[in-house]
C-alpha cells in the first residue's frame, strides 16, 4: 500500500512539471491559467491524500527539514494576515477571478507542494522531474512554433482549421506567439526558465557519452530560444540575456582549471557551440528591444542601406506621415507601466504594513490611479495586476508581504551561491548544475520584475530550490518507514483522508463546471442572446452560489431582459428587475470595495429606470460610490455627470463634466455632454435663451470639438439647431 501511495505521488509530480503548462480548455471563462490552476489544485489534493495516508500507515509524522522552512512559513503567514485584513477577503482567498494564481489558496498550494516534494521524493529521482519539465517545454514550444507562420494547432482543436482564425486581431500568434501558456510574456517567462536546464542536461549527457540525448537537449535550447524571439517579449529577452551571461561566467569559473586538459575539450566545444548557435539565431531572427537592433542582421542591414542612401546624391528619401517618431497603435507600454507602478506605490503608502489584501490590486489601483493614465490608449482598461511582481506584493501585502517574499528569495540565492562557490566536496558537474538552477531561478526573478507570475512559473519558483538543496546535501533523508499490520484505526484515518480529498475534488469540479456555464452565458450575453444566457447563468449561480462573478453577470442579464420585456410582459419584467436589483444589492453589500460591481450596478439600475424612475436615484447613489472608489476614472465621472443631468441636476452635471474634461482633456463625449447641459442651463422652460453667458459656453464647447477633434456631425447639428431656435 505504501508503495502504491509513493507511485501516485511520483506520478502527480511528474504531471505537475510535464502537463501543467500544456493544460487548456475551450469551454471555460479563461482558457489557460484558470485550468492550469485547477489542475494544480487537483494534483495537490491527490498528493496530500497519499502523503497523509502513507504517514498513517508508517505510524510516523515525517516532514523534511529544509533551510527554507522558516522563510516560506513567514511568507505564507504574512499573506494570511493580509487576507484577514483585506479589502475583499473572498478575492484574497481565491485570487482574482479567472486566474486565481496568487490568491491565498494558490500560495498555500505552492508551499505545500514544496514541503511534500522534499519529504516524499528520493534524491536520485530529482533529475527525472527536471527532464519531465523540459519535455513539457519542448511540447509547448513545438505547439506554438507553427502559429508564428499562421498554423496554430489550438485553432485546429477549437474550430477544426489549422490557421489562426480562432483568435481576435488583437491576439494574433503570427505577431507574438503564446502557445499553451495563453500570453506571449507568460510563454517567454516559462521558456527562459527552462533554457539553462536544457543547457545543463546537454552538457551532462554529453559527458556520459549519451550523444543522442545530449543532441536533443542541445536542439531544445535552440527551439526554446527561437520561440522566445517569436514571443517578442522584452522582459523575457532581458531575463534570457542576464541568465545566459550568468551561466556563461559560472561555467568559466567552475571549469577554469580544465581548459588546458584534453579530456574536457569536447565538452567545452559543445558549451561554446550552444552559445554560438543560439546567438546566431538571435542575430538573424532579431530581438524585441529596438535599442539592440544594431547587433542583429536586420539592424546592420538597415543601417548599411540608410548609410548608402545618405551618401547618394541622385536619390531622395520620401518622408512618410509617420516618420515623426510618434508611436502608432497606442501608448508605449513602458509609459503605461510606469503609471501603473506609480499608482501601486501610492496605494502601498496608504496601506504600508499588510497592504490592501492579497490579490486586491484591482481595488487598490483605482483608489490611487494617476490621472495621467486617462491620457493613454489603455485608459479604460481594468488593471488587476501591477505588472511587476514585487510592486504587486508591496501594494497588496505591504512591507510584511514583500519583505518575507524577498527574504525567501534572498536566503535561497545566498545558500545556493555559497554552495556553488565554496563547497569543496561538490564536483564540477554538481556545481554547474547549481549554476544552471540559479540561472533559471534568476530568469524568473527578472521576468517577474517586468510582469507577474503564472501557475507554472510559481511552481518553478517554489520547487527549484528543492533541487539545489538535494544536490548540495542540505536535505537529510530519513529511512522510509515499513508497513506493518494495518490496524482499524489506521484504516479509519486513511478512509477519512480519502473522504476529505473526495469532497475537495467535488468542490473543485463543481466550481469548474459552474464556470463553464458562466462562460457560455457570458458569451450569449455578448452576442445579444439574453434569454439563452439567462438559463446558463442561473445554472452557474445554482451550482456555485458563493462566486460573486457569476452573480454579477446574472444581475446584468436580469436587467437587460427586464428592459426588453417591459412592453410585452410587464409581470415577468418586474420579477426580473427585482431579482437583478436584489442580486446587485447582495453583491455590493458583501463586496463594497469592488468598483466593477458598483459600475455594473449603475448599468443595471440605469437600464431599469424606464420601468420605475426610483431606479434612477439609486443609480445616482451607485455612481457616486463608484466615483469614490475610482476618483480619477474619467469614464465613471462622465457617466456620473450624465446621470446628474438626467435627474435634472444640471448645475451638478456641469460641475462633474468639467472635472471629467480635466481628468481627460481629449474626451470628446464629455465636451459634447457639457455643451448640451450648458445649453439646458441657458434656456428657460419655453426654450428661449435666458442666460447668454451659458449659451456662449455651450457654443464654445461645440466649437472646441470642431477645432480639436475635426468635423463632428453631432456638434454641427447642435450649433445649427441652437442658431435656429434664437
Amino acid at each position: 500500500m505504501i508503495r502504491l501511495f509513493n507511485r501516485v505521488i511520483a506520478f502527480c509530480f511528474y504531471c505537475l512539471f510535464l502537463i501543467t503548462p500544456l493544460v487548456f480548455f475551450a469551454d471555460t471563462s479563461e482558457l489557460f491559467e484558470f485550468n492550469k490552476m485547477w489542475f494544480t489544485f487537483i494534483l495537490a489534493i491527490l498528493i496530500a491524500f497519499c502523503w497523509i495516508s502513507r504517514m498513517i500507515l508508517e505510524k510516523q509524522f515525517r516532514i523534511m527539514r529544509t533551510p527554507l522552512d522558516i522563510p516560506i512559513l513567514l511568507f505564507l503567514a504574512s499573506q494570511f494576515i493580509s487576507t484577514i485584513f483585506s479589502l475583499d477577503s473572498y478575492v484574497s482567498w481565491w485570487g482574482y477571478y479567472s486566474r486565481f494564481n496568487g490568491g491565498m489558496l494558490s500560495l498555500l498550494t505552492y508551499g505545500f507542494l514544496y514541503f511534500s516534494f522534499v519529504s516524499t521524493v528520493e534524491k536520485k529521482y530529482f533529475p527525472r522531474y527536471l527532464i519531465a519539465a523540459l519535455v513539457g517545454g519542448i511540447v509547448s514550444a513545438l505547439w506554438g512554433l507553427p502559429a508564428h507562420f499562421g498554423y496554430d494547432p489550438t485553432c485546429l482543436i477549437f474550430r477544426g482549421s489549422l490557421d489562426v482564425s480562432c483568435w481576435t486581431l488583437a491576439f494574433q500568434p503570427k505577431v507574438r506567439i503564446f502557445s499553451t501558456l495563453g500570453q506571449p510574456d507568460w510563454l517567454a517567462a516559462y521558456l527562459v526558465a527552462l533554457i539553462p536546464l536544457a543547457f545543463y542536461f546537454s552538457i551532462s549527457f554529453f559527458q556520459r557519452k549519451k550523444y543522442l540525448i545530449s543532441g536533443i537537449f542541445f536542439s531544445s535550447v535552440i527551439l526554446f530560444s527561437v520561440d522566445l524571439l517569436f514571443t517578442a517579449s522584452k522582459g523575457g529577452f532581458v531575463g534570457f540575456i542576464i541568465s545566459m551571461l550568468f551561466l556563461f561566467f559560472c561555467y568559466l569559473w567552475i571549469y577554469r582549471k580544465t581548459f588546458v586538459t584534453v579530456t574536457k575539450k569536447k565538452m567545452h566545444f559543445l558549451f561554446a557551440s550552444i552559445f554560438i548557435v543560439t546567438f546566431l539565431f538571435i542575430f538573424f531572427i532579431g530581438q524585441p528591444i529596438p535599442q539592440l537592433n544594431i547587433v542583429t542582421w536586420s539592424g546592420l542591414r538597415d543601417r548599411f542601406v540608410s548609410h548608402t542612401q545618405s551618401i547618394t546624391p541622385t536619390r531622395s528619401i520620401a518622408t512618410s506621415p509617420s516618420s515623426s517618431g510618434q508611436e502608432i497603435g497606442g501608448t508605449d507600454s513602458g509609459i503605461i507601466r510606469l503609471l501603473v507602478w506609480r499608482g501601486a506605490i501610492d496605494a502601498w503608502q496608504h496601506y504600508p504594513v499588510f497592504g490592501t489584501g492579497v490579490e486586491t490590486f484591482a481595488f487598490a489601483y483605482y483608489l490611487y490611479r494617476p490621472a495621467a493614465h486617462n491620457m493613454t490608449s489603455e485608459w479604460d482598461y481594468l488593471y488587476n495586476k501591477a505588472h511587476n511582481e514585487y510592486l504587486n506584493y508591496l501594494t497588496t501585502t505591504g512591507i510584511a508581504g514583500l519583505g518575507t517574499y524577498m527574504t525567501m528569495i534572498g536566503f535561497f540565492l545566498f545558500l545556493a551561491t555559497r554552495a556553488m562557490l565554496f563547497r569543496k566536496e561538490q564536483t564540477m558537474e554538481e556545481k554547474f548544475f547549481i549554476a544552471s538552477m540559479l540561472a533559471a531561478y534568476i530568469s524568473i526573478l527578472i521576468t517577474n520584475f517586468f510582469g507577474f507570475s503564472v501557475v507554472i512559473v510559481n511552481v518553478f519558483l517554489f520547487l527549484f530550490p528543492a533541487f539545489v538543496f538535494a544536490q548540495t546535501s542540505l536535505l537529510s533523508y530519513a529511512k522510509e518507514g515499513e508497513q506493518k499490520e494495518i490496524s482499524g484505526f489506521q484504516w479509519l484515518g486513511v478512509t477519512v483522508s480519502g473522504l476529505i480529498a473526495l469532497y475537495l475534488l467535488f468542490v473543485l469540479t463543481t466550481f469548474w463546471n459552474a464556470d463553464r456555464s458562466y462562460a457560455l452565458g457570458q458569451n450569449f450575453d455578448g452576442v445579444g442572446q439574453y434569454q439563452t444566457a439567462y438559463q446558463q447563468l442561473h445554472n452557474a449561480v445554482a451550482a456555485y452560489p458563493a462566486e460573486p462573478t457569476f452573480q454579477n453577470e446574472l444581475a446584468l442579464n436580469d436587467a437587460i431582459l427586464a428592459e426588453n420585456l417591459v412592453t410585452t410582459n410587464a409581470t415577468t419584467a418586474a420579477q426580473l428587475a427585482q431579482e437583478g436589483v436584489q442580486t446587485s444589492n447582495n453583491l455590493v453589500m458583501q463586496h463594497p470595495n469592488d468598483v466593477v460591481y458598483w459600475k455594473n450596478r449603475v448599468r443595471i439600475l440605469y437600464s431599469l429606470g424606464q420601468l420605475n424612475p426610483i431606479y434612477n436615484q439609486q443609480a445616482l447613489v451607485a455612481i457616486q460610490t463608484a466615483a469614490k472608489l475610482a476618483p480619477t476614472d474619467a469614464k465613471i465621472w462622465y457617466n456620473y455627470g450624465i446621470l446628474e443631468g438626467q435627474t435634472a441636476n444640471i448645475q451638478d452635471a456641469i460641475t462633474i463634466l468639467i472635472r471629467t474634461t480635466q481628468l481627460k482633456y481629449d474626451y470628446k463625449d464629455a465636451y459634447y455632454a457639457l455643451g448640451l447641459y450648458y445649453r439646458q442651463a441657458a434656456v428657460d422652460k419655453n426654450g428661449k435663451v435666458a442666460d447668454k453667458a451659458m449659451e456662449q459656453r455651450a457654443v464654445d464647447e461645440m466649437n472646441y470639438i470642431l477645432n480639436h477633434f475635426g468635423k463632428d456631425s453631432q456638434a454641427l447639428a447642435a450649433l445649427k439647431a441652437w442658431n435656429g431656435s434664437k
Side-chain angles (χ1 to χ4, degrees), residues 490-545:
Q490 287 175 299
W491 278 120
L492 178 62
V494 172
T495 302
V496 171
S497 298
L499 291 174
I500 293 174
L502 287 174
Y503 172 74
L504 294 176
L505 291 173
F506 172 76
V507 171
L508 287 177
T509 304
T510 301
F511 200 153
W512 187 77
N513 281 321
D515 178 83
R516 293 176 64 198
S517 296
Y518 159 71
L520 190 56
Q522 187 183 45
N523 289 335
F524 279 127
D525 272 346
V527 295
Q529 298 184 32
Y530 301 109
Q531 289 185 334
T532 307
Y534 177 81
Q535 186 57 54
Q536 295 296 331
L537 294 172
H538 258 280
N539 292 342
V541 172
Y544 201 84

Side-chain angles (χ1 to χ4, degrees), residues 42-224:
I42 291 171
L43 292 178
I45 292 170
L46 294 176
I47 292 169
F49 163 66
C50 292
W51 186 24
I52 292 171
S53 297
R54 195 184 82 172
M55 288 190 289
I56 291 173
L57 296 180
E58 292 176 345
K59 296 183 179 180
Q60 59 176 331
F61 183 75
R62 185 167 54 132
I63 297 180
M64 180 75 68
R65 296 296 304 275
T66 77
L68 277 188
D69 291 355
I70 293 177
I72 289 177
L73 292 175
L74 286 175
F75 169 66
L76 294 177
S78 72
Q79 304 301 291
F80 183 74
I81 295 173
S82 179
T83 297
I84 293 174
F85 296 105
S86 173
L87 293 176
D88 194 316
S89 294
Y90 180 87
V91 170
S92 292
W93 175 253
W94 279 101
Y96 200 83
Y97 195 83
S98 79
R99 290 180 182 148
F100 297 101
N101 174 62
M104 188 68 226
L105 184 58
S106 71
L107 296 176
L108 287 173
T109 300
Y110 299 134
F112 165 78
L113 289 172
Y114 170 81
F115 288 111
S116 60
F117 189 66
V118 297
S119 300
T120 59
V121 177
E122 294 185 47
K123 176 182 176 179
K124 62 181 179 181
Y125 296 127
F126 270 51
R128 298 182 181 181
Y129 294 100
L130 290 179
I131 292 175
L134 287 169
V135 171
I138 291 171
V139 174
S140 182
L142 290 174
W143 187 276
L145 186 61
H148 176 75
F149 305 98
Y151 306 100
D152 193 343
T154 304
C155 290
L156 181 63
I157 292 177
F158 287 176
R159 290 191 175 180
S161 57
L162 188 60
D163 52 30
V164 294
S165 62
C166 61
W167 306 113
T168 64
L169 292 177
F171 202 61
Q172 273 296 313
K174 291 176 68 175
V175 179
R176 300 181 67 193
I177 67 170
F178 43 82
S179 187
T180 60
L181 273 291
Q183 206 267 3
D185 292 319
W186 302 347
L187 176 62
Y190 171 57
L191 295 177
V192 172
L194 291 176
I195 289 173
L197 306 183
F199 223 118
Y200 164 76
F201 280 109
S202 180
I203 299 294
S204 177
F205 280 105
F206 184 84
Q207 286 185 284
R208 301 175 202 173
K209 297 183 179 181
K210 296 182 178 180
Y211 300 122
L212 177 60
I213 302 176
S214 175
I216 292 173
F217 287 116
F218 181 108
S219 302
S220 68
V221 174
I222 308 304
L223 174 64
F224 295 160

Side-chain angles (χ1 to χ4, degrees), residues 665-679:
Y665 58 78
D666 62 349
Y667 203 164
K668 185 177 72 171
D669 291 345
Y671 287 110
Y672 180 74
L674 186 57
L676 294 181
Y677 287 130
Y678 274 139
R679 172 67 180 182

Side-chain angles (χ1 to χ4, degrees), residues 650-651 654 658 674-683 689-701 722:
I650 303 300
Q651 290 300 328
I654 290 172
I658 289 174
L674 186 57
L676 294 181
Y677 287 130
Y678 274 139
R679 172 67 180 182
Q680 287 189 37
V683 300
V689 176
D691 189 330
K692 292 185 177 181
M694 282 290 183
E695 169 74 3
Q696 186 58 48
R697 290 180 184 177
V699 172
D700 290 344
E701 295 300 326
W722 297 344

Side-chain angles (χ1 to χ4, degrees), residues 409-427:
I409 291 171
F411 194 53
F412 165 68
L413 291 176
F414 168 74
L415 292 174
T417 304
R418 186 179 66 176
M420 180 182 68
L421 296 178
F422 303 116
R423 283 182 71 96
K424 295 181 180 180
E425 60 269 29
Q426 300 286 158
T427 66

